[in-house]
Amino acid sequence: MTRIDDTFADLAREGRKAFVAYVMAGHPEYEQSLEIVKGLPGAGVDIIELGLPFTDPMADGPTIQLAGQQALEAGMTLEKTLGLASAFRETDQKTPIVLMGYYNPIYSRGVERFLREANEAGIDGLIIVDLPPEEDAELCLPAQAAGLNFIRLATPTTDDKRLPRVLQNTSGFVYYVSITGITGSAEAEATDVGPEVARIREQGGLPVVVGFGVNTPEKSRAIAEVADGVVVGSAIVSRITAGDSTESVLSFVRTLTDAAHSV
């Protein structure tokens, strides 16, 4: 059992849905980024999704791309991202952290070394968007052997033939991408998402959280009604990019978590 498993078990007992907040590590710079991350649990966030800055983020739209670019320009690295997670763990041993990013920085560091350091930093799960199931031996299986959840993405184009392969070594939860395209490019619709969540849940038996295209409290509530959890990223990141104070960002996050938890 990981922190992610424990969190979903606790939420199920309470009859609540999960709220997952995505922020880019080191954006706009390290100190404010850490301040925001530390404040997320107090704003009602159940799971923190921590973006790993990368130069070529193929799945991300302009908002997340810009955040990653700004973080890199401010000196953020994989090592500093793990350091940020370690600093968070000094005051919070309960809230799960999922590291989301791309394989290149991990490959460059070395899988064995990365997994050891991720464990030491208090990382609970990985979402590595450019490693398909056919490459599970590369990172997925070693990560699970090291005690980390490996969380896979399913999309509107993941048909019944492909879905079992996607779910085969997935653990923690399934991340359903509600739209075709990049982050921040369209809005999720609960009427479209609901049947897909039910299909994935039936085949995989794991909680299904929905991200991409959730940007308002109303949308957060609507998606929570048909899924096990909601992910919001671009809407939060855009406020950080705009220069909002930490307090303002966390107040906005609270409106989203309250909506998701009201279902």
Side-chain angles (χ1 to χ4, degrees):
M1 294 286 287
T2 65
R3 289 187 187 93
I4 296 171
D5 299 323
D6 289 342
T7 294
F8 277 104
D10 290 344
L11 289 168
R13 282 191 293 270
E14 297 166 5
R16 293 196 301 132
K17 303 299 180 72
F19 186 89
V20 184
Y22 172 98
V23 292
M24 179 67 70
H27 171 245
E29 45 76 35
Y30 183 91
E31 292 302 328
Q32 187 183 3
S33 180
L34 176 59
E35 189 178 49
I36 291 170
V37 171
K38 284 186 172 183
L40 290 175
V45 171
D46 300 297
I47 298 172
I48 296 169
E49 194 177 314
L50 192 61
L52 175 61
F54 182 53
T55 53
D56 300 284
M58 67 182 74
D60 295 311
T63 299
I64 304 297
Q65 284 192 38
L66 179 59
Q69 179 182 333
Q70 291 177 340
L72 291 169
E73 290 173 351
M76 205 60 182
T77 61
L78 172 56
E79 185 171 357
K80 289 183 179 179
T81 299
L82 296 175
L84 190 150
S86 294
F88 173 82
R89 285 282 172 242
E90 292 174 3
T91 56
D92 189 314
Q93 286 293 323
K94 182 177 180 181
T95 307
I97 299 176
V98 175
L99 190 66
M100 182 173 186
Y102 299 84
Y103 185 47
N104 186 278
I106 296 170
Y107 176 80
S108 297
R109 197 162 190 83
V111 168
E112 184 177 346
R113 178 185 178 187
F114 165 75
L115 292 175
R116 181 178 67 254
E117 293 174 342
N119 263 319
E120 292 170 352
I123 301 296
D124 303 288
L126 303 174
I127 301 175
I128 309 300
V129 300
D130 54 348
L131 278 181
E134 288 74 14
E135 306 297 335
D136 274 358
E138 194 78 21
L139 180 62
C140 172
L141 298 181
Q144 294 193 343
L148 278 70
N149 291 125
F150 199 88
I151 297 148
R152 191 84 69 190
L153 303 179
T155 74
T157 60
T158 306
D159 60 21
D160 288 337
K161 182 179 179 180
R162 180 65 174 170
L163 185 59
R165 188 68 180 269
V166 169
L167 297 175
Q168 184 175 5
N169 292 315
T170 300
S171 63
F173 61 90
V174 179
Y175 188 135
Y176 180 68
V177 177
S178 66
I179 60 172
T180 54
I182 53 177
T183 58
S185 61
E187 291 193 5
E189 296 297 337
T191 52
D192 298 327
V193 167
E196 290 299 296
V197 168
R199 179 173 70 98
I200 295 166
R201 191 189 289 139
E202 181 180 356
Q203 289 204 34
L206 289 170
V208 181
V209 304
V210 175
F212 287 48
V214 184
N215 50 23
T216 65
E218 294 74 22
K219 192 68 70 174
S220 179
R221 182 182 299 108
I223 296 300
E225 288 178 347
V226 298
D228 299 301
V230 181
V231 185
V232 178
S234 294
I236 298 171
V237 170
S238 65
R239 289 174 179 254
I240 300 172
T241 301
D244 285 17
S245 67
T246 298
E247 292 75 16
S248 177
V249 171
L250 294 176
S251 293
F252 173 63
V253 172
R254 170 58 76 178
T255 68
L256 299 168
T257 62
D258 284 348
H261 292 154
S262 69
V263 175

